Amino acid sequence: MPAAPGAPVPGEPLGFGFVRLGVIDVGSNTVHLLVLDAHPGAHPWPVTSMKWTLRLAEQIGPDGTLTRTGADTLVAAVREAHAEADRIGADDLLAFATSAVRDATNSAAVLDRVRTEAGVDLQVLSGVDEARLTFFAVRRWFGWSAGTLLVLDIGGGSLEVACGIDESPDVALSVPLGAGRLTREWLSADPPCAAELTALTDHVGGLLDGVVAELGSLRPDRAVATSKTFRSLARLAGAAPSAAGIRVPRSLTRTGLHQVLGFVRRIPSAGLAELDGVSAARAHQLLAGGVVAEQALGRLELPSVDLCPWALREGVILRRLDWLRGT
């Protein structure tokens, strides 16, 4: 008699038959809830996706603390996300936060509020963990045929870089070159003046020199970029729109990126928000993100990068599913 569906196979680790997994991702710009269904050996299928735009990185006060308003909106958003995950019947709930919460000097108090008032134990990922988990997701997307991968991810507060040939990278780095952070600290005018852009470019290039040194002799067979910043820049450079689906190949060349920055630098953020592929919530930080992207491709001598639709969130999900399978 054949084994029942989902029954363990002798000699294989005990796994799971079905799980509805909820993930709450607290980033520098948004809180994102994703609920998906997973079966052994199958692609995880999304059930629902919801976003709350909070711009937490802009709620960091002069003393480095997340403001009361920022903490209030975070607690409210996580509470709503938790309630929605419960309503849909999530069996397992993961919740993690990145640089905005990580960098706040009052993060412990904020996390305690989220735990007490929203009923969610929000885990703060280190920058290196972000780089490793994003790399893991990209590896799973492109597979072993991609060879040695170099992965770049521009977030709101930091830039993650990882490189290696396995599922875990040989080098994983996080540097404070997020698009939101740089916009706040270096660009005051809208659009910024030439002097501000020059100072920003010099600052970014200086930090990226350290990244180049850390990577050493590692040479990628394939360079990959993730994040909304890279997707927006690629769309402006002529890549397929999001409506074409996630499996359509997309790439961004250094030449195309340079041309995009040539006109983006002259357009106010309100004008950028009207362009296809640029969200209103992130338009103001697109130029700073573009400077990071161009400097990264130049310093790392990359003529182009391929875009990957999977990133940190998918890395967290895939790791959790592997754990549930017992692998």
Side-chain angles (χ1 to χ4, degrees), residues 172-193:
L173 306 168
S174 180
V175 287
L177 292 178
R181 180 195 299 272
L182 296 178
T183 300
R184 293 193 311 275
E185 295 178 355
W186 293 86
L187 305 180
S188 59
D190 184 16
C193 63

Side-chain angles (χ1 to χ4, degrees), residues 222-288:
R222 188 167 199 164
V224 178
T226 70
S227 76
K228 178 63 175 177
T229 294
F230 270 113
R231 291 197 299 272
S232 295
L233 293 167
R235 178 69 188 117
L236 293 176
S242 58
I246 65 172
R247 291 178 176 82
V248 174
R250 295 173 175 85
S251 62
L252 175 63
T253 66
R254 200 191 318 173
T255 300
L257 177 57
H258 182 73
Q259 292 171 345
V260 167
L261 290 183
F263 74 83
V264 165
R265 64 183 296 173
R266 296 177 171 83
I267 303 176
S269 56
L272 292 176
E274 297 176 359
L275 300 177
D276 185 25
V278 181
S279 67
R282 299 172 186 262
H284 66 294
Q285 62 187 45
L286 180 65
L287 180 56

Side-chain angles (χ1 to χ4, degrees), residues 18-315:
F18 167 85
V19 67
R20 175 160 286 181
L21 178 63
V23 180
I24 300 175
D25 173 3
V26 178
S28 296
N29 291 296
T30 62
V31 171
H32 188 176
L33 168 69
L34 178 63
V35 179
L36 49 87
D37 288 341
H39 304 262
H43 186 288
W45 290 100
V47 176
T48 191
S49 177
M50 298 176 65
K51 288 184 179 180
W52 294 259
T53 300
L54 304 186
R55 293 187 180 180
L56 290 180
E58 298 176 17
Q59 292 290 333
I60 301 295
D63 59 352
T65 62
L66 182 65
T67 65
R68 179 58 185 255
T69 298
D72 288 346
T73 57
L74 172 59
V75 169
V78 174
R79 184 189 296 119
E80 289 180 30
H82 189 190
E84 181 64 14
D86 283 346
R87 187 188 70 79
I88 296 174
D91 304 301
D92 192 16
L93 182 65
L94 303 174
F96 65 91
T98 55
S99 63
V101 175
R102 181 172 67 232
D103 294 344
T105 56
N106 60 336
S107 61
V110 172
L111 294 172
D112 185 62
R113 279 197 61 190
V114 172
R115 187 180 306 109
T116 302
E117 299 176 35
V120 173
D121 187 12
L122 191 60
Q123 301 296 312
V124 179
L125 297 178
S126 71
V128 171
D129 284 339
E130 284 191 56
R132 289 184 175 278
L133 287 164
T134 301
F135 181 91
F136 177 61
V138 173
R139 170 61 73 191
R140 286 286 177 93
W141 180 268
F142 285 108
W144 297 114
S145 63
T148 299
L149 280 172
L150 173 66
V151 178
L152 305 172
D153 186 296
I154 301 173
S158 58
L159 163 72
E160 275 67 53
V161 182
C163 188
I165 197 169
D166 297 319
E167 286 198 330
S168 182
D170 297 309
V171 175
L173 306 168
S174 180
V175 287
L177 292 178
R181 180 195 299 272
L182 296 178
T183 300
R184 293 193 311 275
E185 295 178 355
W186 293 86
L187 305 180
S188 59
D190 184 16
C193 63
E196 285 185 332
L197 275 179
T198 297
L200 172 61
T201 301
D202 291 344
H203 170 71
V204 172
L207 290 185
L208 285 173
D209 285 342
V211 171
V212 173
E214 288 280 350
L215 291 173
S217 61
L218 288 172
R219 292 293 178 267
D221 297 304
R222 188 167 199 164
V224 178
T226 70
S227 76
K228 178 63 175 177
T229 294
F230 270 113
R231 291 197 299 272
S232 295
L233 293 167
R235 178 69 188 117
L236 293 176
S242 58
I246 65 172
R247 291 178 176 82
V248 174
R250 295 173 175 85
S251 62
L252 175 63
T253 66
R254 200 191 318 173
T255 300
L257 177 57
H258 182 73
Q259 292 171 345
V260 167
L261 290 183
F263 74 83
V264 165
R265 64 183 296 173
R266 296 177 171 83
I267 303 176
S269 56
L272 292 176
E274 297 176 359
L275 300 177
D276 185 25
V278 181
S279 67
R282 299 172 186 262
H284 66 294
Q285 62 187 45
L286 180 65
L287 180 56
V291 170
V292 175
E294 185 179 42
Q295 286 295 304
L297 267 63
R299 288 294 203 278
L300 296 170
E301 300 180 350
L302 303 174
S304 66
V305 289
D306 295 323
L307 275 291
C308 180
W310 281 4
L312 175 61
R313 189 180 309 113
E314 288 75 18

